[in-house]
Structure formats: C-alpha cells, structure tokens
C-alpha cells in the first residue's frame, strides 16, 4: 500500500455535529523501535504486546464551523482543560490533514482520560494518539457513509494516522502481537502501519503477564523525539538496526515453539540495547535509576534460584515491565509483591497483561 491510498474519495454525507468514543490500549515493545527517518518511518521493524488495562479513553465531539481556514479544538484530560497538549495535537493535525480533509471544517472537543496516572512515567502517547486516530476514523466513516465492516482498511488507516502522532501508537489498535516496520520474513509488514503478527504463537504466550513497576514517576528525562534523533550519526546505529531485524527473525521460531528461555534472552537484550544506545549517543543519557538495576539483579537471582520464566523489559525510562507466563503467575507475583515493590516510588505498580486491542464505546 502507498500513502496515496489513504487519501479518501469525496465525502458523500454531511454532518453538522456528533460525538464518538474509543478506548485504546498502551503497548510494550519486545523488539524496540528506536531511530526514525522522515515522516515517522521507523529505522527498524519492531514488535509489541498490546496491553489490556493501561488505556486511554477519548470522546471526540465535533461541530461544523462557519469557516474552514484553521484547525480549531480544545483538549481536556480528566475533565481539566489542557492547553499545553495543543501544540502536539496541532502538529498531528497538520501531518494528517491530507488524509482526513474534513479536519478544518469542524471544531473538536477532545475529552480524554487514562486508566493509569498521567504522571506515572507510563507512555500515554501510544494509547492517546491511537484513541484519537480511531475517533477521527469514526467521524470519517460517517462522512463516507460506510459501516466499520464495509471499510476494509479501518484499522490499517487508523494505525497509519496514529503513527503520524507518535510512532509506537500505530501498534496500539489491535491485539495481541503487533509488528510495525517492514521485515523480510513477515508478509504484510509495513513501515506505514502496524499489522497483526501473522504466524503461529504457542500457548505459553497466551495471556502473558506484565507487571509494571513504577520506579520513577517523573517527567521523561529525554523526549522520544530527542531520543530517536540521537540515532542519527550514532556510531552503532547500523548494527543496531540489523540486530532488530535478526531478533525479530529469531522470535518467529521462539513464538512457534513456545521457547521461553530464548524469548527472555531476546527481550532482555533488546531492553538493555535500547538503553546502551542512549548511553553511547552524543549527548549521552542514563535513564535507569539505582532501583531499576536493583530490580533487574533481583529478577536475575530469582530466575536462577527458581527456574521460573520471569523477565524484564524497559521503555525509554526507569520503570520496569516484568513479563511472565500466566502458568507461573502465582509464585512470580508473590515474589514481586514481597521483594520488588519496595523499589517502586511510593510502592506503586500496575498489573497488566497481553490484550486484544481498542474498543469502540457507546456514547
Ligand atoms: O512512539 P515513540 O516515538 O514515543 O517511541 C517509543 C519508543 C520506545 O517506547 C522506547 C520503544 C518502542 O518500540 O515502543
């Protein structure tokens, strides 16, 4: 598919006002996206588990304006007006206007809430941008006068739009394993949108658990835009991008065979490589905190002592995602509560698991 195919035919319906609502999940990458080219094209393919509990719910109200010269919208988070969110959304609207030509014709009220605390260090851009993209797609469907089932590329275009808001958001629409970025062995994979992982996945990975330990709830030290840019002229960039392709290839048989040991090796190495890229860029950053390392060391010791398949991954921050199979959930969760929660800020953690994607909600 090319970008031109996302430019709609002329709208057949007229709408003066209305309201749509979506709930969209966050996701956690197993093979990380870090580094991008122009137009939010990823430098390497990535794959993520769609989460279930960490969600953004967005209601989008729209009302036809007299003039269509500019974008016009207000944003609310948990009922409170958030003008500081506007520049990011304005940039998003500019990027997607040619694919949604109705944007300047309406005034929008974007009313959004997160199931997790905003200042938890959990990336809300993936769930937030995907929920907004889905709402806009629902408006477009009404303008095109088609139902969701008639619109064969509803999720594809929603993912294409979400990507232009925040790269990893394009992996937050469907579940449960999503690939973004073209990969030689994965048919249908694309740099333009996320697609469902198409191959066999062993039952070991069904209902995979993710307990998120909130080590540092502060604002991100490095924004992802700055972080991705650090990969330009990075001395190890090319090797890193090739490694991501290789790791995704390896995961194909790992998922098929249910090989938890190799899964852990790949996923932990990906997390540490992401952080290594930041430590070796110019300027350089250390995004882990002492408690991040303490948790990692304790996970490794517990794994060695028990033989259980506990592992971790990290985003571009200090929080730790602990991943483990459902079959081993009881002893592992007990260990988390008794030994690891002490290293979380104010003892805060979030229980999540692999999920099945966004939901359209009744108004
Ligand atoms: O979507 P962005 O631009 O916020 O980038 C997110 C990058 C990581 O979360 C660090 C990795 C990933 O693939 O999600």
């Amino acid at each position: 598919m090319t970008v031109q195919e996302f430019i709609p035919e002329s709208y057949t319906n007229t709408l003066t006002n209305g309201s749509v609502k979506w709930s969209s999940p966050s996701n956690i990458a197993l093979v990380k996206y870090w580094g991008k080219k122009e137009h939010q094209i990823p430098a390497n393919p990535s794959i993520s588990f769609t989460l279930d509990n960490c969600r953004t719910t967005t209601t989008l109200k729209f009302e036809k304006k007299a003039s269509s010269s500019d974008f016009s919208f207000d944003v609310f988070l948990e009922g409170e007006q958030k003008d500081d969110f506007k520049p990011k959304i304005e940039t998003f609207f500019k990027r997607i206007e040619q694919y949604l030509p109705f944007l300047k014709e309406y005034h929008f009220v974007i009313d959004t809430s997160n199931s997790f605390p905003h200042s938890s260090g959990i990336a809300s851009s993936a769930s937030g941008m995907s929920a907004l993209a889905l709402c806009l797609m629902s408006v477009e469907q009404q303008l095109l006068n088609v139902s969701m089932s008639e619109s064969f590329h509803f999720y594809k275009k929603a993912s294409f739009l979400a990507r232009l808001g925040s790269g990893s958001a394009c992996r937050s629409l469907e579940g449960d394993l999503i690939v973004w970025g073209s990969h030689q062995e994965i048919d249908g994979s694309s740099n333009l949108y996320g697609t469902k992982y198409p191959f066999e996945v062993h039952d070991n990975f069904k209902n995979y658990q993710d307990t998120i330990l909130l080590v540092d709830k502060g604002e991100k030290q490095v924004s992802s835009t700055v972080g991705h840019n650090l990969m330009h002229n990075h001395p190890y960039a090319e090797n890193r991008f090739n490694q991501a392709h290789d790791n995704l290839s390896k995961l194909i048989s790992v998922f098929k065979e249910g090989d938890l040991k190799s899964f852990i090796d790949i996923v932990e190495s990906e997390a540490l490589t992401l952080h290594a890229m930041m430590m070796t860029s110019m300027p350089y950053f250390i995004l882990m905190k002492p408690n991040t390392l303490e948790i990692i060391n304790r996970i490794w010791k517990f794994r060695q002592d028990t033989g259980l398949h506990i592992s971790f991954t990290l985003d571009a921050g200090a929080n730790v995602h602990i991943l483990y199979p459902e079959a081993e959930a009881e002893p592992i969760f007990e260990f988390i509560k008794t030994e690891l929660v002490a290293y979380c800020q104010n003892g805060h953690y979030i229980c999540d698991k692999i999920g099945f994607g966004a939901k359209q909600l009744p108004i």
Side-chain angles (χ1 to χ4, degrees):
M1 239 173 144
T2 64
V3 294
Q4 266 63 39
E5 289 170 69
F6 292 105
I7 298 173
E9 289 167 21
S10 54
Y11 298 133
T12 50
N13 207 0
T14 45
L15 283 174
T16 44
N17 58 48
S19 187
V20 289
K21 189 173 185 177
W22 279 88
S23 151
S24 200
S26 188
N27 69 77
I28 181 68
L30 306 170
V31 171
K32 308 287 179 182
Y33 149 60
W34 199 243
K36 63 179 168 185
K37 305 176 197 165
E38 249 196 314
H39 307 301
Q40 303 270 98
I41 297 299
N44 64 260
S46 56
I47 186 165
S48 52
F49 276 154
T50 306
L51 295 180
D52 201 29
N53 296 331
C54 288
R55 286 179 169 269
T56 298
T57 300
T58 297
T59 306
L60 182 73
K61 295 196 180 101
F62 52 97
E63 175 129 31
K64 191 104 173 162
K65 294 189 289 168
S67 107
S68 56
S69 55
D70 262 319
F71 299 118
S72 166
F73 61 92
D74 290 307
V75 197
F76 294 83
L77 175 67
E78 328 287 355
E80 206 181 295
Q81 190 143 7
K82 281 279 182 192
D83 287 345
D84 49 327
F85 284 12
K86 290 184 89 169
K88 194 160 183 193
I89 293 174
E90 175 104 20
T91 304
F92 178 47
F93 279 6
K94 279 186 194 146
R95 286 184 189 158
I96 62 173
E97 191 193 357
Q98 60 170 311
Y99 308 108
L100 295 177
F102 63 86
L103 282 182
K104 280 188 178 154
E105 289 173 26
Y106 292 89
H107 174 72
F108 296 100
V109 177
I110 304 163
D111 212 328
T112 186
S113 65
N114 292 326
S115 64
F116 48 89
H118 178 60
S119 58
S120 59
I122 304 263
S124 55
S125 60
S127 51
M129 284 298 175
S130 57
L132 182 54
L134 284 161
C135 286
L136 292 168
M137 279 302 294
S138 288
V139 178
E140 174 163 85
Q141 267 190 305
Q142 293 181 34
L143 290 165
L144 287 168
N145 226 347
V146 289
S147 69
M148 226 167 101
S149 51
E150 285 168 326
S151 160
F152 76 100
H153 74 330
F154 182 88
Y155 281 108
K156 199 177 263 187
K157 181 166 175 184
S159 174
F160 171 84
L161 297 173
R163 183 193 102 247
L164 293 166
S166 168
S168 60
C170 78
R171 297 189 313 238
S172 261
L173 294 102
E174 297 176 276
D176 42 0
L177 263 173
I178 302 292
V179 178
W180 169 40
S182 79
H183 186 276
Q184 213 184 338
E185 288 165 66
I186 304 182
D187 282 349
S189 60
S190 168
N191 285 336
L192 300 178
Y193 44 80
T195 49
K196 274 163 157 307
Y197 176 74
F199 304 128
E200 197 181 330
V201 179
H202 192 278
D203 278 353
N204 280 353
F205 296 103
K206 298 276 149 68
N207 256 331
Y208 221 73
Q209 308 287 302
D210 180 4
T211 303
I212 310 164
L213 301 185
L214 305 179
V215 172
D216 182 14
K217 300 198 270 172
E219 279 287 301
K220 276 192 183 176
Q221 199 189 117
V222 185
S223 74
S224 30
T225 311
V226 171
H228 290 294
N229 283 335
L230 292 173
M231 290 304 278
H232 293 302
N233 304 317
H234 190 294
Y236 308 133
E238 277 317 305
N239 280 341
R240 159 60 199 151
F241 301 146
N242 292 335
Q243 180 198 38
H245 281 268
D246 291 347
N247 279 342
L248 197 38
S249 294
K250 286 182 192 152
L251 276 179
I252 295 173
S253 56
V254 167
F255 282 134
K256 184 163 182 248
E257 310 297 331
D259 180 354
L260 292 170
K261 160 89 179 62
S262 304
F263 175 80
I264 291 171
D265 290 344
I266 294 167
V267 167
E268 292 190 347
S269 164
E270 275 288 322
L272 294 179
T273 301
L274 168 71
H275 282 251
M277 289 301 108
M278 273 174 281
M279 286 191 235
T280 49
S281 57
M282 191 56 79
Y284 40 81
F285 296 95
I286 299 180
L287 302 183
M288 290 188 231
K289 298 283 182 208
N291 282 353
T292 313
L293 282 177
E294 190 61 47
I295 290 167
I296 291 174
N297 281 314
R298 282 172 184 266
I299 288 173
W300 284 345
K301 171 138 196 339
F302 179 76
R303 188 161 76 216
Q304 201 170 20
D305 292 348
T306 61
L308 294 173
H309 296 94
I310 182 173
S311 62
F312 72 87
T313 187
L314 307 165
D315 266 336
N319 296 334
V320 184
H321 287 249
I322 305 190
L323 303 176
Y324 47 102
E326 190 186 28
E328 299 176 11
E330 228 179 272
I332 292 179
F333 189 56
E334 197 51 40
F335 160 69
I336 293 172
K337 281 190 298 185
T338 53
E339 274 211 48
L340 302 184
V341 167
Y343 299 98
C344 299
Q345 208 175 342
N346 307 323
H348 284 168
Y349 64 92
I350 298 172
C351 292
D352 212 331
K353 62 178 187 324
I354 192 165
F356 292 88
K359 297 175 201 156
Q360 186 166 26
L361 300 172
I363 307 294

